Amino acid sequence: MINENMNSIISKGWEDEIARRVERIAASLAEIGADAMLISSNTNLYYTASRVIAGYTYVTAKGDVKYFVRRPVGLDGDNVVYIRKPEQIVEFLDSKPATLALELDMPYNDIQRLQAAFGGVAIVDGAAIMRKIRAVKSPFEVALMRRSGISHVESYRQIPHIYSDGMSDVELQIELEHRLRQNGCLGLFRIYGQSMELFMGNIICGNNADCPSPYDFTMGGAGVDKSLPIGANGSIIRPGMTVMVDACGNFTGYMTDMTRSYKVGKVSDLAEKAHRCSVEICKRIQSMARPDVSARSLYETAVEMAEEAGLSDYFMGHAQKAGFVGHGVGIEVNELPVLSARSKDVLEQGNVIAVEPKFVIPDVGAVGIENTYVITADGAECLTVMPEELIQLSE
Amino acid sequence: MINENMNSIISKGWEDEIARRVERIAASLAEIGADAMLISSNTNLYYTASRVIAGYTYVTAKGDVKYFVRRPVGLDGDNVVYIRKPEQIVEFLDSKPATLALELDMPYNDIQRLQAAFGGVAIVDGAAIMRKIRAVKSPFEVALMRRSGISHVESYRQIPHIYSDGMSDVELQIELEHRLRQNGCLGLFRIYGQSMELFMGNIICGNNADCPSPYDFTMGGAGVDKSLPIGANGSIIRPGMTVMVDACGNFTGYMTDMTRSYKVGKVSDLAEKAHRCSVEICKRIQSMARPDVSARSLYETAVEMAEEAGLSDYFMGHAQKAGFVGHGVGIEVNELPVLSARSKDVLEQGNVIAVEPKFVIPDVGAVGIENTYVITADGAECLTVMPEELIQLSE
């Protein structure tokens, strides 16, 4: 017996939203001269079908959409076609495209197979289009992120209660993961590309904060195993240390990104100062962020403020530095726009950005905060509202 | 200050193991007429460097190896070269390869960039080679999997203690995740390709067991959100239901795969019978499995045994069926060999396979077990030793 809510491919309440997304994709295809796009990544399948399927979404520049499904069985819809393999797709099309957009960040073998299945059609990249479209969130999407933000904050509020003296960073992380899951976190951390791998988040304290990681996260940490060299490494959290928490905010399929920093006992004046600087940078960026502002200018402002405070050596890492101070967030944690020195992105209404000016203070840990902001018509609204000071875990 | 164990690129104790792996890769390259391979996937970087790096492992058919590293900073080794971008690699090679193996399951854009960086070199697929090599585990790797198996079993043994009447499948899953993490589970579930996404495992009960999923797992479940439509969906676990647990066994970078089934109150005779059949199938497959036996024959044996028991309708799913009964496991949960009808794989000493003959019983849930076996010179040894009966959770 098939679960009854599996019947219609488009989830209830998502119909208009999906129709609008398809329209935007069609318009982008027309702009780049592609006749259609065949979507096969889980992220973009979820975006275009309201659910992950094994199969393909096919969108034409005229705005028609078909879903070619391998699994699950039992999906209904006028535009749902069951197939066993992608070679069958062309049989079900009214006309074969002359130019087909494919997600060229998908596996080389798969792209070659799809191109052959369409008779060696000319292909152009559709992945960049999708990233650009997804960077502008609708009110529907912002509502999902708002819900994630509320649960994200609720979970972080429990951190002082789950902490106890003598705990390791890993132990604290496990307890936080537990609370996150109890509060409805889906656990899965969708990340674009393979430059970042992570379990449910990053908790770092003391010297481990300055251990460089291979991944493109702002923060490092050795991790507990070299198969996943990032984050908590079993360090005991001791007086004088800070603990930075940057954990998974995926409660709805759309995630928020949030960091808060904590302290045990008294920490160095440098750490306190750097933390205050991070809060000030976030405030400044929030006050500047609005449509038509360049992402690069926000990055430069952050760098200048850190420099003016004499904190450049610690800004965005110490032994190893990250080259950005913020990024878009949505279905994936690393969407557009990117707040970096080379970014050509310009903010638009509906962008949702995470801003994370962080500092690594040797022997102490990492300090700073991260908030997720939605860009509105005339400013930036924070979706992760919670006290921003260096929160005392224990005297 | 860089963590001192970050100094040498090859982790302590892994030197001989890595040298042997490089030798095997070199031999395979020579066989297919490739001069060298450039590795860029995290899984194969971990396999060839003993740690994940942002960068590349370059192996020649002569057995030379170089590591081209972008991040982390601070790695040492005679054959470690720091680069900013892949275009720099050729500058550091004694000779440019005429034919280069690349992992053609990596993104199309990346492969094109690498091919161009080598001056439009002829490329052949290295991904299949690596999957074949990785399918045969060394004693070193089996030792890591043995450790995972022990912790995996320890965690499952706690399930009756964390269960309480009236719990939902999601609640039980969250408590199990917590125990797994406390027992050292790394959390990350490495899966090859995007055909499978999962958080930390799959717990299904009652009707949800028969809800088809888009993913290529043996078991389904609606999940709690359509962005990740798999597994527990919040169903209350009630008397008469079975609960199948198939959770993440990655404790060492090398994982085991294990399933156990539980019952609440009395369950139907059909469910009891199907569970016994699964245990019998595992026993039979274990007794047959040894070097030179075809993976296909193991699959066919399982199918026949289910048929003889009159259980074909329920075998490997009901509304939707999985097309395999087992698979290799290692760094990723879906390695070679594959135990399916079309498999051409033949067992070799050092293969590690998960065997998971499962049944979905409508209105009851899923039953059956899964064990991980290492293929030895003359048989198959179980790495997930634990009682196999349908375990009573509550009277």
Side-chain angles (χ1 to χ4, degrees):
Chain A
M1 180 180 155
I2 295 164
N3 196 313
E4 61 181 24
N5 64 7
M6 292 296 283
N7 285 335
S8 173
I9 189 165
I10 305 301
S11 306
K12 216 179 146 187
W14 286 65
E15 298 84 355
D16 294 349
E17 176 71 12
I18 294 294
R20 272 192 297 269
R21 293 179 186 179
V22 168
E23 266 174 39
R24 290 176 62 203
I25 296 168
S28 291
L29 291 174
E31 262 176 43
I32 63 161
D35 302 306
M37 169 145 56
L38 189 70
I39 287 166
S40 59
S41 69
N42 287 345
T43 299
N44 288 328
L45 287 167
Y46 170 53
Y47 188 76
T48 54
S50 76
R51 68 171 72 233
V52 172
I53 56 170
Y56 306 87
T57 303
Y58 185 79
V59 182
T60 71
K62 291 179 181 164
D64 297 321
V65 60
K66 274 199 169 71
Y67 299 100
F68 295 96
V69 183
R70 284 196 303 108
R71 288 166 63 125
V73 299
L75 292 179
D76 274 349
D78 293 342
N79 49 10
V80 172
V81 181
Y82 273 88
I83 57 168
R84 283 170 295 103
K85 51 182 187 177
E87 285 72 15
Q88 297 173 271
I89 292 173
V90 282
E91 301 168 23
F92 295 97
L93 300 179
D94 298 332
S95 65
K96 223 169 77 173
T99 302
L100 179 68
L102 293 173
E103 296 158 291
L104 297 188
D105 49 10
M106 293 298 287
Y108 184 89
N109 280 332
D110 292 350
I111 295 295
Q112 287 211 314
R113 181 174 177 182
L114 292 175
Q115 187 174 17
F118 277 78
V121 65
I123 59 173
V124 292
D125 183 33
I129 291 176
M130 292 303 298
R131 279 175 65 77
K132 242 181 141 167
I133 290 173
R134 286 195 358 245
V136 178
K137 275 74 178 176
S138 68
F140 181 96
E141 292 175 291
V142 172
L144 288 172
M145 299 184 76
R146 199 179 293 279
R147 276 175 44 204
S148 277
I150 290 168
S151 298
H152 210 168
V153 166
E154 266 171 26
S155 306
Y156 276 36
R157 281 191 183 278
Q158 295 168 5
I159 291 172
H161 307 293
I162 60 182
Y163 169 81
S164 62
D165 285 334
M167 248 185 177
S168 74
D169 52 4
V170 171
E171 287 167 340
L172 181 61
Q173 174 156 354
I174 291 171
E175 294 312 309
L176 176 59
E177 290 165 4
H178 192 221
R179 295 301 174 102
L180 283 161
R181 289 283 283 148
Q182 288 179 324
N183 290 336
C185 181
L186 301 177
L188 191 73
F189 218 135
R190 277 210 173 83
I191 303 175
Y192 180 71
Q194 73 157 13
S195 64
M196 289 142 79
E197 285 183 310
L198 193 59
F199 180 53
M200 268 188 82
N202 192 338
I203 292 195
I204 42 175
C205 71
N207 270 330
N208 187 45
D210 206 18
C211 181
S213 146
Y215 301 110
D216 283 345
F217 291 106
T218 50
M219 292 292 96
V224 296
D225 192 89
K226 292 203 174 62
S227 65
L228 186 62
I230 177 84
N233 71 340
S235 296
I236 302 297
I237 303 168
R238 298 187 192 282
M241 285 185 184
T242 60
V243 182
M244 175 174 277
V245 177
D246 185 357
C248 180
N250 178 14
F251 293 82
T252 62
Y254 281 79
M255 63 181 91
T256 43
D257 201 357
M258 174 169 58
T259 299
R260 288 296 183 269
S261 295
Y262 301 79
K263 62 180 172 183
V264 176
K266 197 177 147 44
V267 299
S268 70
D269 291 345
L270 179 62
E272 293 278 3
K273 179 182 174 185
H275 188 81
R276 284 194 303 271
C277 183
S278 170
V279 174
E280 289 306 314
I281 292 172
C282 280
K283 272 190 195 151
R284 180 81 64 89
I285 288 182
Q286 183 179 12
S287 74
M288 289 172 67
R290 62 186 61 237
D292 301 327
V293 168
S294 74
R296 177 179 167 172
S297 69
L298 301 182
Y299 175 78
E300 286 169 351
T301 295
V303 170
E304 280 162 23
M305 287 178 72
E307 202 174 318
E308 280 165 23
L311 295 167
S312 297
D313 279 358
Y314 315 106
F315 188 53
M316 300 312 288
H318 178 250
Q320 176 173 287
K321 286 175 181 288
F324 60 97
V325 75
H327 52 85
V329 58
I331 300 171
E332 293 173 325
V333 79
N334 50 345
E335 300 199 347
L336 297 176
V338 180
L339 278 58
S340 69
R342 291 187 187 183
S343 178
K344 287 173 181 160
D345 300 331
V346 173
L347 297 191
E348 290 181 69
Q349 185 175 345
N351 282 160
V352 179
I353 57 171
V355 179
E356 48 178 332
K358 294 174 178 174
F359 296 87
V360 171
I361 311 296
D363 298 325
V364 175
V367 294
I369 61 168
E370 174 178 30
N371 283 321
T372 298
Y373 304 96
V374 54
I375 307 302
T376 61
D378 55 3
E381 182 199 345
C382 183
L383 298 180
T384 48
V385 178
M386 185 182 151
E388 300 184 339
E389 75 270 12
L390 202 47
I391 300 162
Q392 192 83 49
L393 280 181
S394 164
E395 295 304 323
Chain B
M1 181 178 153
I2 294 165
N3 197 313
E4 62 180 24
N5 64 6
M6 292 296 283
N7 285 336
S8 173
I9 190 164
I10 305 302
S11 306
K12 214 178 150 189
W14 286 64
E15 297 84 355
D16 294 348
E17 176 71 10
I18 294 294
R20 271 192 298 268
R21 294 178 186 181
V22 168
E23 265 175 39
R24 290 177 63 203
I25 295 169
S28 291
L29 292 174
E31 261 176 44
I32 63 162
D35 303 306
M37 170 146 56
L38 189 69
I39 287 167
S40 59
S41 69
N42 287 345
T43 299
N44 288 328
L45 287 167
Y46 170 53
Y47 188 76
T48 54
S50 76
R51 68 170 75 233
V52 172
I53 57 170
Y56 306 87
T57 304
Y58 184 80
V59 182
T60 71
K62 291 179 182 162
D64 297 321
V65 60
K66 274 200 168 73
Y67 299 101
F68 294 97
V69 183
R70 283 197 304 109
R71 290 166 61 125
V73 299
L75 292 179
D76 274 348
D78 292 342
N79 49 9
V80 171
V81 181
Y82 273 89
I83 57 168
R84 282 171 296 102
K85 51 183 187 177
E87 286 72 15
Q88 297 173 271
I89 293 174
V90 281
E91 302 168 22
F92 296 97
L93 301 179
D94 298 332
S95 65
K96 221 167 78 174
T99 302
L100 179 67
L102 294 173
E103 297 158 290
L104 297 188
D105 49 10
M106 292 298 287
Y108 183 89
N109 280 332
D110 292 350
I111 295 295
Q112 286 210 313
R113 179 174 178 181
L114 292 175
Q115 187 174 16
F118 278 77
V121 65
I123 59 173
V124 292
D125 184 33
I129 290 176
M130 292 303 298
R131 278 174 67 76
K132 243 180 140 166
I133 290 173
R134 286 196 356 246
V136 178
K137 274 75 180 175
S138 68
F140 181 94
E141 293 176 291
V142 171
L144 288 173
M145 299 185 75
R146 199 179 293 278
R147 275 174 45 203
S148 278
I150 289 168
S151 298
H152 210 170
V153 165
E154 267 172 24
S155 306
Y156 277 35
R157 282 191 182 277
Q158 295 168 6
I159 291 173
H161 307 292
I162 59 182
Y163 169 82
S164 62
D165 286 333
M167 248 186 177
S168 74
D169 53 3
V170 171
E171 287 167 339
L172 181 60
Q173 174 156 354
I174 290 171
E175 294 313 308
L176 177 59
E177 288 165 5
H178 192 222
R179 295 300 174 104
L180 283 161
R181 290 282 285 149
Q182 287 178 324
N183 290 336
C185 180
L186 301 177
L188 192 72
F189 218 136
R190 276 211 173 82
I191 303 175
Y192 180 70
Q194 73 157 13
S195 63
M196 288 142 80
E197 285 183 309
L198 193 61
F199 179 54
M200 269 188 81
N202 193 338
I203 292 195
I204 42 176
C205 71
N207 269 329
N208 188 45
D210 205 17
C211 181
S213 145
Y215 302 110
D216 284 346
F217 292 106
T218 51
M219 291 292 95
V224 295
D225 191 272
K226 292 202 173 64
S227 65
L228 186 63
I230 177 84
N233 71 340
S235 297
I236 302 297
I237 303 168
R238 298 186 193 284
M241 285 185 184
T242 60
V243 182
M244 173 174 278
V245 177
D246 185 357
C248 180
N250 177 15
F251 292 82
T252 62
Y254 280 79
M255 63 180 93
T256 42
D257 202 357
M258 174 169 56
T259 300
R260 288 297 182 270
S261 295
Y262 300 80
K263 62 181 171 182
V264 177
K266 196 176 145 45
V267 300
S268 69
D269 290 346
L270 179 61
E272 293 278 4
K273 179 182 174 183
H275 187 82
R276 285 193 304 269
C277 184
S278 169
V279 174
E280 288 307 314
I281 292 172
C282 279
K283 272 190 196 151
R284 181 81 63 88
I285 288 182
Q286 183 178 13
S287 74
M288 290 171 67
R290 63 186 62 236
D292 301 325
V293 169
S294 74
R296 178 180 167 169
S297 68
L298 301 181
Y299 175 78
E300 285 169 350
T301 296
V303 169
E304 280 162 22
M305 287 178 73
E307 202 174 319
E308 279 165 22
L311 294 167
S312 296
D313 279 359
Y314 315 106
F315 187 54
M316 300 311 288
H318 178 250
Q320 177 173 285
K321 286 176 181 288
F324 61 97
V325 75
H327 53 84
V329 58
I331 301 172
E332 293 174 324
V333 79
N334 50 345
E335 300 199 348
L336 296 177
V338 180
L339 278 59
S340 69
R342 291 187 188 182
S343 179
K344 288 175 181 157
D345 300 330
V346 173
L347 296 191
E348 290 181 69
Q349 183 175 345
N351 282 160
V352 179
I353 58 171
V355 179
E356 48 177 333
K358 294 173 179 174
F359 296 87
V360 171
I361 311 296
D363 298 325
V364 175
V367 294
I369 61 167
E370 174 178 30
N371 282 322
T372 298
Y373 304 97
V374 54
I375 308 302
T376 61
D378 56 1
E381 182 200 344
C382 183
L383 298 181
T384 48
V385 178
M386 184 181 152
E388 300 184 340
E389 74 271 12
L390 201 48
I391 299 161
Q392 193 83 49
L393 281 182
S394 165
E395 295 303 324

